[in-house]
Amino acid sequence: MELDPTQMTPVINRIKRAQGQLAGVLRLLVEGRDCEDVVTQLAAVSKALDRAGFAIVASGLQQCLTAGDGTDSVDVKKMEKLFLSLA
C-alpha cells in the first residue's frame, strides 16, 4: 500500500511542527530549564507524532477499503499491528 502524497500534506505539516517542538525540547534541556517545562513540551511532541502516525494508518486503511479493484483484500492483522505499534 502506497500513500497518496496529496493526502499526506497535513501529516507532513504536523511532523514538521513536531520537529520544531523537539528542537525546543533540546534547547530547554541545554539551557537547564525547569523539568515541568521540558516534560510538557516532550508530551506535545509525542502527541503530535502519535497523531501523525494514526493519520497515516487511517489513510492507508481508507485506501485499502476504497481501492475496489478486487485484487487486494484488507489485511486486518497487518492494519491492527500498525495501529498497535503506535499504542
Side-chain angles (χ1 to χ4, degrees), residues 36-55:
E36 186 177 350
D37 294 339
V38 173
V39 171
T40 299
Q41 287 304 311
L42 197 55
V45 172
S46 179
K47 188 170 185 174
L49 291 175
D50 286 345
R51 287 179 180 242
F54 286 127

Side-chain angles (χ1 to χ4, degrees), residues 7 9 16 25 31 37 47 72 74 76 81:
Q7 292 183 352
T9 300
K16 285 180 180 180
V25 169
E31 294 172 357
D37 294 339
K47 188 170 185 174
D72 293 323
V74 176
V76 175
K81 185 176 178 181

Side-chain angles (χ1 to χ4, degrees), residues 11-87:
V11 174
I12 292 167
N13 291 338
R14 186 180 301 264
I15 291 174
K16 285 180 180 180
R17 194 167 35 254
Q19 187 177 27
Q21 289 173 314
L22 187 56
V25 169
L26 286 172
R27 190 171 44 258
L28 291 173
L29 289 170
V30 168
E31 294 172 357
R33 298 284 295 270
D34 183 64
C35 177
E36 186 177 350
D37 294 339
V38 173
V39 171
T40 299
Q41 287 304 311
L42 197 55
V45 172
S46 179
K47 188 170 185 174
L49 291 175
D50 286 345
R51 287 179 180 242
F54 286 127
I56 291 168
V57 173
S59 176
L61 181 58
Q62 181 182 19
Q63 287 178 18
C64 286
L65 291 174
T66 59
D69 61 6
T71 59
D72 293 323
S73 62
V74 176
D75 186 344
V76 175
K77 288 292 184 189
K78 185 175 181 180
M79 295 309 290
E80 180 180 341
K81 185 176 178 181
L82 285 173
F83 271 114
L84 291 176
S85 72
L86 296 171

